[in-house]
Amino acid sequence: MAAFWHQRGRRQENGGLGSVIDGLGSVFDVLLANARLVLGVSGAAVLAIATLAVKRLIDRATSPRDEGDPKAEQKSLEESWQDLALIKTTPKTPKKQRREDLSEPLLSPAQPLVPGEAHDPTGCSAPLGAPQVKSSPLRCLTLQEKLLSHSSQLAVPEIQVSLIPQLARSICTQLQNFLRSKCPELPFGRFFLSGALLDGLEVLAADNIHLMLPVVLDAGLWSLISGEDTVVRNPQHWMIKRIDLGYFPRGCSPWDRFIVGRYLSSNVLNETLHKLLVASINWPAIGGLLGCAIHPVVASRELKLEVKHDQVELSITLFPVVEMEDKVLLAVPPEGLVENLWLESFYRAEVSRVKELDAGDSGARQLCLRILNGVCRSQPSLHKLGGSPVTHVILHLSDAASDWAEESLADRFQQVLEELVAYLEKGVLPSYFNPKINLFSGLLEEEIDEMGFVLYRAMSEPEVLL
């Protein structure tokens, strides 16, 4: 019974397929007979080749297999691929253009050349009679060209370059005059501004300036204690300890009013200055004198001023700063219960070293730093990677890679991305000036993973970051 149903099914299959083949054969004969009239000589040749290939495929599918030949199946498959390749490589006849086609938009970004024009460096060619289309100037750019073009787009408007430093210096002068009159007992040094716009680096944006408030300490009454010797175990933080209280009791130093547990408290100093900025200074009067509106940011942990001018907007962040024993310490304590810590800043050393290296070999480190900071600024997941971490990676790489000419910008850019990914994989970026300091110590593990994932994907195609 099983053999019967099997033979019956084969007869039905062969009979149905045979009828289909007969019908297709008649259709092919009609097409071939009329192809020359409809398609012309070249069109008829194309159709004949395609028809022959299809018929050979159908004949091979319906012909009985040789059960004794183990290579029959493989041979049939190879011949089928050859026939399909024959169809695929058949030349296509050029489509006759219609008038209405000229008004339709081009779907391909590659623009055809018109005969007589200059040769396309990309090697693209266009058929004769193609419509003349103006080529895009950024088509087929190399990474080097894209980096230089992207850098030119990061240029700061001239009005900001000229107006913002002038406005910030005027506010700096007004603030120093106020503190001298309000707190004459506190020996602040001469206030000064800091930032890429004022320090000669490749500036990315001029909307944020740092105002430094030097705290002048008597070296005989104060000493530094490394953060490694404290509960935080962080070598980038320091404590400023009041010494010799037996010989020089409290009150001998004007800064003794900010002591907490024999240490100069960065938190207490910041809170005092915050109250002065918010409640004591007549900012509307100062703003009217300078032709702008100045508002202290009340809710911020930082000492920050928002400045709005008719032509620019500016954010000024104030930092009390102590310079002792060749170290620059900012009143930026970490979040938590510890309030007496001061953060060591390497910004001045970073600026000096990068400019020194570029001056020595006419390098493009500042240009590379500018582009990378622009990338971190435009990518929300990379915000915390910009600034100091990127600068230290470039400084580390400068010790290994000697060629920093502008012609090698693309190679150095890709190399910096690779170095960043390697550091993120380890979760450790040692400071260029103190290898004990991990510049990633303040990042969460999730933030490190996200930044590493973004940069890892960009290693094979850095253009996606621009």
Side-chain angles (χ1 to χ4, degrees):
M1 181 64 69
F4 168 77
W5 285 110
H6 180 68
Q7 293 177 2
R8 185 171 182 267
R10 289 186 60 181
R11 285 198 300 270
Q12 290 180 352
E13 181 182 352
N14 292 337
L17 184 58
S19 61
V20 172
I21 293 174
D22 293 339
L24 288 176
S26 60
V27 172
F28 291 153
D29 293 337
V30 173
L31 287 176
L32 290 175
N34 296 277
R36 184 170 183 179
L37 296 177
V38 177
L39 302 177
V41 176
S42 59
V46 171
L47 182 58
I49 296 174
T51 303
L52 176 60
V54 172
K55 290 183 66 177
R56 286 163 64 181
L57 285 172
I58 295 175
D59 292 340
R60 190 173 298 111
T62 57
S63 61
R65 294 183 179 178
D66 187 0
E67 301 295 339
D69 187 2
K71 298 183 179 180
E73 182 177 355
Q74 178 66 23
K75 180 179 180 182
S76 175
L77 183 61
E78 292 177 356
E79 292 177 349
S80 300
W81 280 114
Q82 294 174 3
D83 293 339
L84 290 176
L86 177 63
I87 298 175
K88 184 176 180 180
T89 56
T90 302
K92 298 181 180 180
T93 57
K95 179 182 177 181
K96 184 177 180 181
Q97 289 190 351
R98 298 176 300 172
R99 183 181 300 273
E100 53 269 27
D101 292 340
L102 299 179
S103 61
E104 295 179 358
L106 295 176
L107 299 180
S108 173
Q111 308 296 341
L113 288 178
V114 177
E117 290 186 346
H119 176 66
D120 187 357
T122 63
C124 304
S125 61
L128 295 177
Q132 182 177 358
V133 180
K134 185 178 180 180
S135 60
S136 173
L138 296 179
R139 179 165 51 91
C140 301
L141 293 180
T142 63
L143 177 59
Q144 175 82 8
E145 294 168 330
K146 290 181 180 179
L147 289 173
L148 295 176
S149 175
H150 184 73
S151 174
S152 63
Q153 296 173 8
L154 297 175
V156 178
E158 186 62 31
I159 184 63
Q160 294 185 15
V161 175
S162 59
L163 181 57
I164 284 182
Q166 178 183 354
L167 189 59
R169 289 190 181 96
S170 299
I171 295 174
C172 177
T173 301
Q174 293 294 328
L175 182 59
Q176 175 136 28
N177 292 338
F178 170 81
L179 289 178
R180 284 178 176 174
S181 61
K182 183 71 175 179
C183 308
E185 72 281 4
L186 296 179
F188 283 105
R190 183 177 181 82
F191 294 3
F192 63 94
L193 301 175
S194 178
L197 181 63
L198 301 134
D199 295 329
L201 285 180
E202 290 280 354
V203 63
L204 177 65
D207 56 355
N208 194 353
I209 296 243
H210 294 166
L211 175 53
M212 317 305 288
L213 285 61
V215 176
V216 181
L217 300 177
D218 186 346
L221 301 178
W222 303 90
S223 66
L224 298 183
I225 298 178
S226 172
E228 289 183 289
D229 301 329
T230 66
V231 293
V232 295
R233 301 296 180 186
N234 189 336
Q236 193 171 0
H237 287 89
W238 294 77
M239 300 183 76
I240 305 176
K241 184 178 181 179
R242 177 69 156 83
I243 60 175
D244 293 335
L245 286 175
Y247 295 97
F248 304 98
R250 288 197 178 197
C252 293
S253 172
W255 301 105
D256 285 346
R257 56 186 285 193
F258 303 104
I259 287 179
V260 174
R262 295 188 64 178
Y263 297 97
L264 182 62
S265 174
S266 53
N267 267 3
V268 174
L269 180 57
N270 278 336
E271 290 172 359
T272 302
L273 291 173
H274 189 273
K275 292 177 181 178
L276 292 175
L277 290 177
V278 172
S280 301
I281 302 179
N282 189 355
W283 291 115
I286 296 178
L289 180 65
L290 301 178
C292 62
I294 306 175
H295 303 283
V297 181
V298 178
S300 175
R301 292 182 69 250
E302 299 177 318
L303 305 175
K304 185 171 291 188
L305 302 174
E306 297 291 346
V307 182
K308 293 185 178 181
H309 190 271
D310 292 338
Q311 297 175 297
V312 296
E313 292 187 4
L314 173 64
S315 177
I316 301 178
T317 306
L318 284 66
F319 290 101
V321 54
V322 171
E323 297 189 36
M324 287 184 63
E325 302 177 8
D326 298 328
K327 291 181 174 48
V328 179
L329 307 179
L330 304 180
V332 184
E335 296 184 6
L337 300 178
V338 183
E339 61 178 15
N340 298 331
L341 295 176
W342 294 69
L343 178 69
E344 184 175 4
S345 172
F346 299 102
Y347 176 76
R348 186 184 302 173
E350 293 167 7
V351 172
S352 176
R353 183 58 177 164
V354 170
K355 295 173 68 174
E356 177 186 355
L357 290 173
D358 271 354
D361 58 8
S362 301
R365 295 172 184 83
Q366 298 180 64
L367 180 58
C368 186
L369 177 61
R370 175 185 183 181
I371 297 173
L372 287 166
N373 282 333
V375 168
C376 295
R377 185 184 179 93
S378 62
Q379 299 279 343
S381 60
L382 301 179
H383 279 179
K384 294 186 178 180
L385 198 59
S388 186
V390 171
T391 305
H392 283 251
V393 172
I394 290 179
L395 291 176
H396 282 303
L397 189 57
S398 295
D399 292 339
S402 58
D403 185 9
W404 279 89
E406 186 174 301
E407 293 76 12
S408 303
L409 177 61
D411 294 335
R412 298 289 82 79
F413 181 83
Q414 288 184 296
Q415 201 168 1
V416 171
L417 294 183
E418 295 172 0
E419 292 293 314
L420 279 171
V421 171
Y423 287 126
L424 288 169
E425 286 179 348
K426 299 177 182 178
V428 177
L429 173 58
S431 168
Y432 181 79
F433 303 100
N434 185 355
K436 296 181 180 180
I437 297 175
N438 177 18
L439 298 181
F440 288 162
S441 61
L443 299 177
L444 300 176
E445 185 176 352
E446 294 78 8
E447 295 173 332
I448 292 178
D449 291 341
E450 185 176 4
M451 289 188 292
F453 177 71
V454 171
L455 294 177
Y456 180 78
R457 289 192 306 171
M459 285 174 55
S460 58
E461 191 177 359
E463 294 86 350
V464 299
L465 296 176
L466 305 179

